[in-house]
Amino acid sequence: MTEDHDWDEDLEEADAAIARVFQHLNVHKQHTDESGRNSEVRPSNERVDFVALPCGHRMPTDYVVAWFKYYLKQKETEFSCPRFDEVQKKSCGLKLSYQDLCQLIPLTDKQREFLEENLAALVARRLFDIKACPGCQSHVERRDRSNLCVNCTICTANLKRTYFFCWNCCREWKGPTNNSVRCENTGCGQRVRPSDPLIPCNPEFKMKMLKEQGDDIYQVKDKAHERKRLALLINNVEFKNLDDRTGADKDELSMEVLLKGLGYTVITLRDLSAQGMLAAMRDFAQREEHTESDSCFVVLMSHGDANGICGVFYSFDNEEEEDIFPTDHIFDCLNTPNCAGLWDKPKIILIQSCRGDKEGSVYVPDAAPRRSRSKEHRETDFCCLRSCTPDTVSYRNTKKGSDFIQDIVEIFNQHAHQDDIEELFRKVIKKFKMLHPCQMPCKERATLSKRFYLFPGL
């Protein structure tokens, strides 16, 4: 097979970390133990709650795995330690590869399969010219990088005719196959940008609000300047002893799109224990980006009960598996003594979970350093919206996600360009009163002393 010049350059410039992963990765590899039986590379039946990293930081194992998944989602192949280094006054940043992770943590079969398949796919995309066929979704390698007309052998066999698709517009090829630079599909060659559901704020409106209510509005940094907004999204989907939260991936995606549209870098961590959630909150509170930010969002989605939010090891029947994260910890981690970077800045908390077992209907229930001043309020500038009132059930549709998250996204998209955060919350509550009689969101621990406008797009 003849390779072109670009291919050689890509190989020479391949990231060293990618090359190491590609060289040593053995997806679903089995070996024979001393008794002659086939077994996985590393036994993973035992549960290890904490792990000590080479940098000396000790963390919950589920938290480390969640961070590794997050980095994979960002198309990175190495994990960076998120713990705040008190000596250097910044995040530790120690790099660990997948091989290092396997040496430290006995991964479950499911975790190992997920990580290895995603690593292999990432390596393949970096080293080869690969796309999913629009006909069968199988991955196809393009051998000739100058030719947009690509043959899929699987579709050819299934359809009993030669099947070509366009590498550019990812649709079945139209037109002469010898024309390799452009097919005849409408819009091929034009970059079609999906419409943004988030209505941008008019600069004149922002100027008007600042002029009329300047002293009563939280300071919002301009997008053009060195603004660094962070959001933490924790989504517990798969549980050891409870039903999985089917449909929660829809909420996760919707919330990620909204927060990114509002200018926040979203850190999404999945499937954490109570200890993992506490570690996530503590590390998030110490992020150095907060000093250059004007606000933050924290979104938690999980099963829950009257005592708090369920970790992934929670069990109704086993008191030893009381894996519950009290919501007080959120406020403790982000308060004035523990999060100086967010002092006098809005901290918006959204929680989708049950708070009790009172019956609802229709959907699947989600059960389950200081500033140098004389004195400052310990807890201020918070606003929390929970998906239901105390002791009641919160609902989630297994296909569409929860009404709570989906309605928040819809209201924010339509009204954030002109309403402050508490008015947006009021609109969400009003919609529930009109359309969702089995559930009522609840605003709690609101200590905002000013109006907080998001001014999307500015």
Side-chain angles (χ1 to χ4, degrees), residues 301-352:
M301 301 184 287
S302 184
H303 290 305
D305 64 16
N307 297 315
I309 301 169
C310 294
V312 292
F313 300 115
Y314 180 87
S315 173
F316 287 114
D317 303 323
N318 187 351
E319 293 183 358
E320 295 181 0
E321 295 284 6
E322 192 186 23
D323 195 22
I324 284 288
F325 177 72
T327 56
D328 283 350
H329 288 340
I330 303 170
F331 299 88
D332 292 341
C333 289
L334 298 178
N335 66 17
T336 303
N338 295 322
C339 187
L342 287 173
W343 178 81
D344 203 28
K345 301 173 183 178
K347 296 163 278 288
I348 310 303
I349 317 298
L350 305 174
I351 303 174
Q352 160 66 25

Side-chain angles (χ1 to χ4, degrees), residues 117-233:
E117 286 185 352
N118 279 272
L119 277 168
L122 180 57
V123 168
R125 284 194 297 269
R126 295 268 187 106
L127 297 181
F128 302 96
D129 200 14
I130 291 177
K131 276 190 179 180
C133 168
C136 62
Q137 298 303 310
S138 62
H139 286 88
V140 178
E141 179 187 0
R142 181 172 64 156
R143 301 294 179 87
D144 182 357
R145 297 196 171 200
S146 64
N147 190 351
L148 294 179
C149 183
V150 180
N151 171 240
C152 175
T153 56
I154 294 178
C155 285
T156 296
N158 291 339
L159 299 173
K160 294 180 172 48
R161 63 177 174 83
T162 305
Y163 180 91
F164 295 97
F165 70 93
C166 177
W167 199 259
N168 188 43
C169 66
C170 290
R171 288 176 285 179
E172 184 173 0
W173 185 270
K174 286 187 178 180
T177 57
N178 59 354
N179 178 10
S180 62
V181 295
R182 186 178 183 275
C183 74
E184 294 182 359
N185 279 311
T186 303
C188 182
Q190 301 175 2
R191 297 187 65 181
V192 180
R193 189 174 181 180
S195 58
D196 189 348
L198 181 64
I199 299 175
C201 179
N202 190 310
E204 286 75 22
F205 173 80
K206 180 179 180 180
M207 293 296 295
K208 179 183 176 182
M209 290 294 101
L210 292 175
K211 183 177 180 180
E212 295 178 355
Q213 306 177 28
D215 293 338
D216 290 326
I217 296 178
Y218 280 99
Q219 179 183 359
V220 175
K221 296 187 177 184
D222 291 334
K223 183 178 180 180
H225 295 113
E226 293 298 319
R227 184 182 71 185
K228 297 180 180 179
R229 285 178 168 177
L230 283 184
L232 175 64
L233 196 164

Side-chain angles (χ1 to χ4, degrees), residues 62-63 66-67 231-237 245 248 251-252 255-256 259 266-282 284 297-303 309-312 325 330 350-352 405:
D62 55 274
Y63 180 53
W67 264 105
L232 175 64
L233 196 164
I234 296 174
N235 187 19
N236 288 343
V237 180
R245 297 181 58 249
D251 287 344
E252 179 181 311
M255 187 55 62
E256 284 181 333
L259 292 173
V266 186
I267 300 171
T268 302
L269 302 177
R270 270 203 182 196
D271 300 336
L272 295 179
S273 64
Q275 290 290 343
M277 287 186 274
L278 180 58
M281 285 304 312
R282 285 175 172 170
F284 181 74
F297 270 77
V298 174
V299 184
L300 291 97
M301 301 184 287
S302 184
H303 290 305
I309 301 169
C310 294
V312 292
F325 177 72
I330 303 170
L350 305 174
I351 303 174
Q352 160 66 25
I405 295 296

Side-chain angles (χ1 to χ4, degrees), residues 97-116:
S97 68
Y98 172 68
Q99 287 73 30
D100 298 327
L101 185 72
C102 291
Q103 294 298 318
L104 292 169
I105 299 175
L107 299 172
T108 66
D109 293 343
K110 194 169 186 178
Q111 287 173 334
R112 186 166 51 250
E113 179 179 348
F114 175 88
L115 293 174
E116 291 182 357

